[in-house]
Amino acid sequence: MTYQFETIGIVRSCFSEKFAIPRQPSLAPAAKGVVELIAPYNRPEAVAGLEGVSHLWLLFVFHAATSGPAHLRVRPPRLGGNQRIGVFASRSTHRPNPIGQSVVRLDGMEPGRLLISSIDLLDGTPILDIKPYVPYADSLPLARNSLADAAPTLLRVDWLPESLQQARDQAVRLRQPVVELIEQCLAQDPKPAYQRPTEERRYGVRFWDLNVCWHYPQPDRICVISVEEQPPATH
């Protein structure tokens, strides 16, 4: 059977590209975004009652990932990026149908907009549905997952004096927690798990309109080299 769904909203996110997005929601509390609801779901009656809700389930489309039967087995980063398991035993973005779910914090509401944080969503992500998080039903103390039984080990993140000042300046301009976001995302080690970086190799990613550059002085340590505004592309 085939089903067709309509988009009810679009996420405007701090994550401008897939690289360095946290691999699970809630791992980067400083990651902020907005769900822009699409008519008729942007009317006040659609969100009435959310004032008493702290967290939301977002059902969304992995719009920038491939999907389909070619991805019956995947290589989760948590297992080193080399071991394959069944797609249904993972939260891989490559799925039979490109549908994802995330728990996010609801920070506030504006007309037609939901302000959210602790997100793991790429900018432009289409939203299919929104459901309130229900603590007594959704939090299961006895649940287990032997493949991911604890949060990932975090790396130490250091700064050059000039890069830290750049990040602080950009935080003022953007009115966003730039320093915290960079530290929370990079501490999770965004590079492929099988890579062994040299001290000379540089990595980069975009948050908002910022280019963030770093390297690994040691395998278990990151140093942020620069945080620079990227001018908009000209055509």
Side-chain angles (χ1 to χ4, degrees):
M1 293 180 287
T2 299
Y3 299 90
Q4 185 172 348
F5 300 96
E6 64 177 10
T7 300
I8 66 165
I10 298 293
V11 173
R12 301 304 172 196
S13 166
C14 56
F15 297 118
S16 302
E17 58 187 53
K18 292 185 290 183
F19 187 48
I21 292 180
R23 296 184 177 109
Q24 302 291 346
S26 302
L27 295 180
K32 295 178 177 289
V34 176
V35 177
E36 295 182 346
L37 297 169
I38 297 171
Y41 306 105
N42 58 353
R43 288 158 50 179
E45 54 262 44
V47 297
L50 284 184
E51 299 85 358
V53 173
S54 67
H55 291 75
L56 302 172
W57 284 107
L58 299 183
L59 302 183
F60 62 91
V61 178
F62 286 115
H63 66 297
T66 56
S67 60
H71 302 285
L72 298 182
R73 291 174 66 80
V74 296
R75 297 186 294 180
R78 187 62 178 267
L79 300 181
N82 289 316
Q83 182 178 340
R84 290 184 179 272
I85 62 174
V87 64
F88 299 131
S90 82
R91 293 197 181 187
S92 169
T93 59
H94 307 291
R95 313 202 65 78
N97 295 300
I99 298 173
Q101 63 178 22
S102 284
V103 173
V104 301
R105 181 173 180 83
L106 177 60
D107 294 326
M109 294 189 291
E110 298 175 350
R113 291 158 48 97
L114 303 177
L115 311 182
I116 56 177
S117 62
S118 293
I119 66 174
D120 60 346
L121 301 164
L122 181 66
D123 187 59
T125 293
I127 299 298
L128 299 178
D129 201 2
I130 299 169
K131 301 177 187 291
Y133 184 88
V134 180
Y136 78 84
D138 294 342
S139 179
L140 303 174
L142 299 181
R144 67 181 184 87
N145 184 335
S146 61
L147 296 179
D149 57 357
T153 302
L154 301 180
L155 300 187
R156 173 177 163 180
V157 178
D158 295 328
W159 297 78
L160 298 179
E162 54 268 30
S163 66
L164 182 56
Q165 187 59 54
Q166 288 174 334
R168 289 171 174 166
D169 291 343
Q170 295 298 339
V172 173
R173 179 181 69 87
L174 293 170
R175 299 182 180 180
Q176 295 283 354
V178 173
V179 174
E180 293 84 352
L181 178 71
I182 292 173
E183 289 184 346
Q184 290 168 9
C185 291
L186 297 192
Q188 296 171 54
D189 196 5
K191 67 170 176 53
Y194 55 81
Q195 250 182 37
R196 295 294 176 263
T198 62
E199 183 177 352
E200 295 76 23
R201 182 168 184 172
R202 293 330 188 225
Y203 292 79
V205 71
R206 286 188 62 205
F207 297 136
W208 295 289
D209 60 351
L210 303 176
N211 277 329
V212 179
C213 179
W214 72 92
H215 77 129
Y216 293 78
Q218 300 171 6
D220 60 349
R221 191 171 139 232
I222 281 173
C223 181
V224 182
I225 298 171
S226 62
V227 180
E228 298 178 336
E229 182 181 357
Q230 176 174 295
T234 56
H235 299 285

